[in-house]
Amino acid sequence: MSDRDGDGKPDTRAFMDGTRIKWIEIDRDGDGKTDRWEYYAPAPADAPKGTPPSVIDRAEEASAADQKITRREHYVRGVLSRTEEDTDHDGRMDKWEYYDGSVLTRVEFDLSGQGHPDRRLVYGRDGNVVRVEIDPDGDGKFETAPVPPAGKGRG
């Protein structure tokens, strides 16, 4: 257990199997309830020397109000690969982020509330948006959307 914010109450609890972390529970807002769970897997056998015995595999976060999961993070070999998020707190994921080596490559949104992405932003390695795509009929096939020229407002 640890008290990261110094308020005298433990806000982080680690559950171990010997020297290996199995999961961690975190109370980020100090209300006494866990609102982030991190789950760990054994480090890969071919991991570089000095790698801890556990690497993060996935994490979940809950909203403070109702303790429902609002964000999931997925990792590959301890590196963030994708996230899912319920941004409007309706119980359905509506934002998805994809990473390549911890670099954001695309973000997808469900702007129509149909339960699947209908807008996509594709990023270059420099972090700039290189393409906007839409799926107007919900068939899972995205097409490039027109992008206003730089410096043009939305009116």
Side-chain angles (χ1 to χ4, degrees):
M1 283 195 244
S2 73
D3 177 16
R4 295 182 313 162
D5 60 9
D7 67 357
K9 297 184 287 185
D11 48 33
T12 304
R13 291 176 176 82
F15 297 83
M16 311 284 289
D17 180 10
T19 61
R20 189 177 76 75
I21 298 171
K22 292 179 73 174
W23 78 89
I24 295 175
E25 297 178 353
I26 304 167
D27 174 14
R28 294 173 304 159
D29 58 9
D31 67 356
K33 298 178 192 170
T34 300
D35 45 29
R36 181 173 170 90
W37 298 262
E38 295 179 356
Y39 301 93
Y40 290 76
D46 62 347
K49 195 171 196 161
T51 299
S54 305
V55 294
I56 190 166
D57 184 54
R58 67 185 168 90
E60 296 177 341
E61 293 181 9
S63 65
D66 59 15
Q67 288 298 109
K68 289 184 180 175
I69 301 298
T70 56
R71 181 176 170 90
R72 290 185 179 97
E73 299 171 357
H74 303 272
Y75 296 78
V76 174
R77 297 173 61 97
V79 178
L80 184 62
S81 65
R82 68 183 170 91
T83 68
E84 305 165 353
E85 195 168 351
D86 176 9
T87 63
D88 58 7
H89 302 276
D90 69 352
R92 295 189 323 190
M93 298 301 171
D94 52 31
K95 178 182 171 190
W96 300 265
E97 297 175 348
Y98 297 88
Y99 296 82
D100 180 11
S102 291
V103 174
L104 182 64
T105 58
R106 81 177 187 261
V107 179
E108 297 178 347
F109 302 93
D110 174 12
L111 300 177
S112 63
Q114 299 298 313
H116 54 80
D118 51 28
R119 169 117 12 202
R120 177 186 291 162
L121 304 176
V122 180
Y123 293 85
R125 296 293 293 172
D126 62 0
N128 289 317
V129 174
V130 295
R131 192 170 61 251
V132 176
E133 299 174 339
I134 58 172
D135 177 11
D137 55 8
D139 65 359
K141 297 177 184 170
F142 284 83
E143 55 192 55
T144 301
V147 179
K152 300 284 185 183
R154 293 184 189 229

